[in-house]
Amino acid sequence: MWLAALAAAGAAAVRAGTASRVAAAGAAVVVPFALWALAIHGLFFPEGRTVLAELGPARVTAEGLAYAAAFVLRTAALAAVMLAFSLWADVGLLRAALVRRGVPAQLGYVLAATLGLAAAVSDRLRRIREAQEARGLVVRRGPGGRLLAARLQAVPLVLALVDEAGERAVALEARGQSLPGQRTAYRAEPDSPAQRALRWALAAASAAIVASVVVPAIAGAAA
Amino acid sequence: MSHPLTAEAPRRSPLRTVLTVLGALAAAATFVFLILTQPGEPVDAPSASATLIALTGYGIATVLLFVGILPTLPTATLALIPVALVLNIVLGQFVGTALVPIYLDSIGTVLVAFLAGPAAGAATGLLSTIVWSFFNPTLIPFAAGAAVIGCLAGLAARWGAVRRLWWLPLAALATGFAAAFIGTTVALAVYGGTATGATGAVIAVFRAAGDGLAESVLKGAILSDLVDKLVTFAAAAALAYALPRRATQRFEFVRRHRVLAAPRKARDSEAAPAA
């Protein structure tokens, strides 16, 4: 089942032309998770009965490996499906579509502003480091030196960002950001009746599956 | 009655308060349910019911808190949230997180909570998790936990933990404990008790000593979260004091609850009229 989800996410990513980015971002998340799952559950699983190998305190058990593999597969499916969505979705369009459906308009601002800011911050950090190096910053060895270097770079960055946020707040306020009421988006939203039907069907199916598992579990726990 | 363009936005309404309370209740109920039904022994296959209950319960809490809090935030706070999100991601990189079992992924959240209060802190925690999950989707189930961290940090600031600095470590430890317990329920139900980095190594050590899975994950989480929140709170407080007063006093929360201690110079010259 998880393999089918992985395959579907992969096919969607290939169709959207983001397969390589999804694979890279997914690997960055799933590979460390898989290695640690193997290290934790594969080597140390005291409940395991079938011992495959014994290396000092570590016991490789079939049960531990199966447990690790099951969770890695499920996490990989989760990561692949969500990354296939987030790397394909156009943030501007997503923002317009969400606001039109009654999501607080503030979410759109935060989403778009964060992604824009994240791109600018690494450049800003480089300039701050260059400026501090020009003033004679040398990163000394040891925790003290690193702490000082971190302070000399972090404080100017935070000062500048918070100060700019204050200025932006005035600009946003002047443009009526905090006023209630309808927002009009200039972006046209590509949609079709088939897509709309599919969305509703998928939402209803997810709700039904979740309810079919969650309700008996809660009822069973309460009984 | 002022002109409609300058009218205050609806800051709080009974409906939004009810939604926020319901969101907090949903998170608390999910937490209690997961603790009570936690199996002692790890089972071979991932249990779908515990995972789905964790995801739906914390998910519903996230949505309710989100709808309840976000529209009530003043614009100054709203403009600060993207900054906090970027700081969450960037500031942790200054410290070598590979060897120390801490995450340092909430400095920005705690800073916003110190400057703008518990509601803003909770909203920042939620948004930070949501935006970050665009790059790392495994974080999304931890959104409710991030909201609790922001909320507790804001409450600590409101009760003067940042003004009287000896309270700061205590507030950090309390927040760390809460974060550890909530994070453990998610890590167990959704990821089978797998953590990456040095936290994972701590869990492996406890497992090697023969502890149960839930016990090991909880111990690992407590160890990591306590250290993490101590460093995070100290860093956020240091940043709050490093900011110019012009920037910090812009926030109504800071002014009303006297979050930051007055600098010595300002206290001495308070009697004299400002130049």
Side-chain angles (χ1 to χ4, degrees), chain A residues 72-91:
Chain A
V72 168
L73 193 58
R74 198 171 75 172
T75 308
L78 166 84
V81 169
M82 286 189 62
L83 284 172
F85 163 72
S86 67
L87 291 178
W88 161 80
D90 173 4
V91 172

Side-chain angles (χ1 to χ4, degrees), chain A residues 2 25 29 32-33 36-37 39-41 44-47 57 63 66-67 70-71 74-75 78-80 82-83 85-87 89 91 94 103-104 106-107 109-111 113-115 117-118 121 125 146 149-151 153-155 157-159 161-163 165-170 172-173 177-180 209-210 213-214 217-218 221-222, chain B residues 4-5 7 9-10 33 37 41-49 51-53 56 66-67 70-71 75-76 78-83 85-87 90-91 94-96 111 115 127 131 133-138 140 188-198 200-201 203-204 207-208 210-213 239 242-244 246-247 250-251:
Chain A
W2 302 119
V29 173
F33 185 87
W36 279 105
I40 296 173
H41 308 302
F44 309 102
F45 204 73
E47 293 82 4
E63 287 84 355
Y67 185 80
F71 276 103
R74 198 171 75 172
T75 308
L78 166 84
M82 286 189 62
L83 284 172
F85 163 72
S86 67
L87 291 178
V91 172
L94 181 66
V103 172
Q106 287 87 342
L107 172 70
Y109 170 72
V110 171
L111 205 60
T114 307
L115 295 178
L117 207 58
V121 150
L125 259 179
R146 289 196 62 179
R151 203 197 83 87
Q153 292 173 61
V155 171
L157 177 73
V158 177
L159 283 184
L161 288 179
V162 171
D163 204 48
E167 281 164 24
R168 256 195 309 270
V170 177
L172 282 171
E173 192 67 46
Q177 164 76 34
S178 59
L179 292 178
I209 292 174
V210 168
V213 174
V214 168
I218 292 179
Chain B
L5 273 178
F33 184 86
T37 60
E41 300 260 306
V43 275
D44 282 349
S47 130
S49 67
T51 309
L52 277 178
I53 287 172
T56 33
F66 202 76
V67 178
L70 202 58
T75 311
L78 185 75
L80 195 63
I81 288 180
V83 171
L85 267 51
V86 170
L87 293 181
V90 169
L91 286 184
F94 278 120
V95 185
L111 182 65
L115 293 179
L127 283 165
V131 172
S133 69
F134 269 63
F135 312 104
N136 183 354
T138 57
I140 193 95
L188 278 175
V190 182
Y191 299 116
T194 307
T196 55
I203 295 174
R207 287 292 275 166
D211 284 353
L213 185 63
L239 285 173
L243 288 172
R246 181 173 63 87
R250 203 180 260 156
F251 294 95

Side-chain angles (χ1 to χ4, degrees), chain B residues 97-189:
Chain B
T97 49
L99 296 174
V100 196
I102 53 180
Y103 335 104
L104 288 186
D105 57 356
S106 51
I107 296 180
T109 305
V110 173
L111 182 65
V112 169
F114 284 173
L115 293 179
T124 310
L126 289 179
L127 283 165
S128 177
T129 318
I130 290 171
V131 172
W132 211 333
S133 69
F134 269 63
F135 312 104
N136 183 354
T138 57
L139 291 174
I140 193 95
F142 294 99
V148 170
I149 293 171
C151 178
L152 288 178
L155 287 176
R158 179 175 185 153
W159 293 329
V162 187
R163 178 163 22 107
R164 295 182 287 266
L165 279 179
W166 56 91
W167 283 105
L168 197 65
L170 287 179
L173 291 179
T175 310
F177 264 111
F181 275 97
I182 297 175
T184 302
T185 61
V186 175
L188 278 175

